[in-house]
Amino acid sequence: MWDIFFYAIIAIIYFIDINYFLRVIFVFVWTKFMQKKTKPMNETTIYGICFTQDLDLVLSHMNNARYLREIDFARFHYFIQTEMFYLMGKMGATVVLGASSTRYRRPIPFLMTYKIMTKLIYWDEKSLYFEHKFINLRNNFIHTTIFSKQTTIGLKISLTEFLKKFEPEIRLPEINEDLRLWLESMEYNSQKLKKKD
């Protein structure tokens, strides 16, 4: 009997990435109960370490796919700390990753501790645009930068109206050049794919 129970637990751990769900719970509890809320335009910070499950095939540095997983936790943290998560839920809305662009400057080696700085840098009618920076805690070197587009679903008001509920004086920031170029490339790609459909 216990053998079947043991193998069932192993199968669950193997087929479901249990660490992901445990970390989501940890981020939620830590952010909600241990940190002060902040305004949407403030930068938020979450910490990490490159551990065995993050390594690539040669076991020397973080696998490229792990960066997107890490910004998942960073965005959960941001939306909980700013309390946008709760208001969206009350309004019957949600937000999903619509696109991302990653610039790897230097690999994150095994056991390196880092922080991810997340900042809202722009928005349009439907999407919020963030810049995430992976920064080495030892020397403050920026190893990786990621732009992410978080698209809202089910939001009945404009994003500017929504953001003013948290920060009444909020103003749309001026778009920076690298974000503008990325948005243009996504629009070009979108039009190209529409022509094929």
Side-chain angles (χ1 to χ4, degrees):
M1 177 68 177
W2 286 108
D3 289 349
I4 294 169
F5 179 74
F6 175 75
Y7 290 125
I9 294 297
I10 295 298
I12 289 169
I13 291 171
Y14 182 78
F15 290 110
I16 298 173
D17 189 351
I18 199 78
N19 289 335
Y20 177 83
F21 294 101
L22 290 174
R23 186 150 169 217
V24 167
I25 292 167
F26 174 79
V27 168
F28 179 82
V29 171
W30 178 263
T31 308
K32 181 161 177 58
F33 299 109
M34 306 297 284
Q35 293 189 310
K36 288 190 255 181
K37 66 180 182 177
T38 191
K39 294 181 178 180
M41 293 307 294
N42 290 346
E43 203 165 39
T44 60
T45 305
I46 193 168
Y47 296 87
I49 182 169
C50 179
F51 205 57
T52 51
Q53 293 178 324
D54 302 317
L55 295 176
D56 71 341
L57 190 61
V58 295
L59 304 177
S60 64
H61 59 268
M62 188 181 284
N63 182 307
N64 294 342
R66 286 292 186 171
Y67 291 85
L68 286 181
R69 178 186 168 109
E70 289 301 309
I71 69 162
D72 241 8
F73 300 121
R75 77 185 179 102
F76 295 156
H77 177 261
Y78 172 88
F79 284 119
I80 295 165
Q81 195 172 14
T82 58
E83 298 194 318
M84 290 167 64
F85 174 79
Y86 308 108
L87 185 56
M88 278 193 181
K90 284 181 185 174
M91 299 171 88
T94 189
V95 64
V96 296
L97 179 66
S100 65
S101 175
T102 305
R103 163 84 165 90
Y104 302 104
R105 298 183 68 220
R106 189 179 293 170
I108 292 180
F110 180 50
L111 295 182
M112 189 189 99
T113 53
Y114 57 86
K115 62 183 176 183
I116 303 172
M117 307 290 287
T118 297
K119 186 164 181 60
L120 176 63
I121 56 171
Y122 194 70
W123 63 86
D124 56 27
E125 303 83 28
K126 290 180 67 177
S127 300
L128 301 160
Y129 297 90
F130 292 91
E131 182 178 45
H132 310 273
K133 295 177 184 173
F134 288 70
I135 302 172
N136 189 325
L137 287 180
R138 187 174 50 82
N139 58 15
N140 285 324
F141 182 82
I142 301 171
H143 281 251
T144 303
T145 60
I146 300 177
F147 284 139
S148 73
K149 174 185 179 180
Q150 309 291 332
T151 302
T152 59
I153 298 171
L155 193 63
K156 304 289 192 291
I157 60 175
S158 73
L159 271 172
T160 301
E161 271 183 89
F162 177 76
L163 292 167
K164 280 181 183 286
K165 292 181 182 294
F166 302 93
E167 203 169 337
E169 303 303 314
I170 200 165
R171 297 280 181 271
L172 181 66
E174 189 173 328
I175 192 167
N176 62 38
E177 188 66 8
D178 43 356
L179 178 63
R180 185 187 65 76
L181 292 169
W182 180 52
L183 294 179
E184 283 180 9
S185 75
M186 283 196 296
E187 179 59 27
Y188 173 80
N189 181 260
S190 180
Q191 294 306 319
K192 186 173 77 171
L193 291 174
K194 282 178 184 174
K195 287 175 186 174
K196 288 182 179 178
D197 291 341

